[in-house]
Amino acid sequence: MAFNRGKQGKQGSAARTIAKVAAVGIIAGAPLGLAVGTANAAPGMDWDALAQCEASGNWAANTGNGFYGGLQFTQQTWNAYGGQGSAANASREQQIAVAERVLAGQGPQAWPSCSKRIGAYVGKTAPAQKQAQPQRKAQPQQRQAPVQQAPVVALEGSKSNPGGNYEIKPGDTLSKIAEANKVAGGWEAIVEKNKGFITNPDLIFPGDKIAI
């Protein structure tokens, strides 16, 4: 950035102007850097491409060179345009919100080198996401150790008794049916009366009929 890069001999009047702009923004009750809703790039400026050029797409860049975040703010510029804390710790949206203020105040020349070469970086952030996909394909190899699956056992359900005098309702169990209808001998007696039909006392179906 032109102002961010700290060109000697050009910061005095620019810094005072920036401070005034920041002060006006604060007095107007519009804290800069927090307006996430304005995080879309301004017309003609692809912020992701610019970040790719400035910091290899690393929005948390902090290499110790005095420039921070994906758009390489100096701390002075970040503070002057409403940024809070360090740009390296701010989200992508917060950095773009501040960058839009810088763009409005200084124009594209705030990033003198990368703003001219931004076209070469447009769309270069998407392939980075695709590179992670082969790693996901390799993960199943870790689960290829021979594992014997337990055999699937099909539970045989009971059948409807055409001669039954009771229709099973949702939530019924043989014990409930026996108790509700005062069946002598309990659920075992119901099983006995429905031999060949109640093949699994624990698996009966609503709508089937049984003799009680």
Side-chain angles (χ1 to χ4, degrees), residues 17-39 73 75-87 90-106:
T17 300
I18 291 168
K20 292 179 181 179
V21 172
V24 171
I26 295 172
I27 294 173
L32 307 179
L34 299 179
V36 177
T38 62
F73 296 96
Q75 191 64 46
Q76 181 182 8
T77 300
W78 178 253
N79 292 339
Y81 283 88
Q84 297 183 4
S86 170
S91 68
R92 169 185 174 276
E93 290 74 15
Q94 290 172 326
Q95 292 184 49
I96 291 176
V98 173
E100 287 179 343
R101 300 287 184 174
V102 176
L103 181 63
Q106 298 185 33

Side-chain angles (χ1 to χ4, degrees), residues 7 31 206-207 210:
K7 298 296 184 181
I210 58 174

Side-chain angles (χ1 to χ4, degrees), residues 1 5 39-59 69-72 92 95-96 99 108 111 113-129:
M1 298 179 65
R5 297 297 181 189
N40 295 324
M45 183 65 73
D46 186 325
W47 296 117
D48 288 312
L50 185 62
Q52 190 70 26
C53 176
E54 289 282 350
S56 300
N58 181 10
W59 291 91
L71 303 177
Q72 293 291 275
R92 169 185 174 276
Q95 292 184 49
I96 291 176
W111 299 270
S113 177
C114 283
S115 63
K116 296 178 181 178
R117 297 186 293 125
I118 192 171
Y121 293 88
V122 172
K124 284 198 172 183
T125 54
Q129 297 177 355

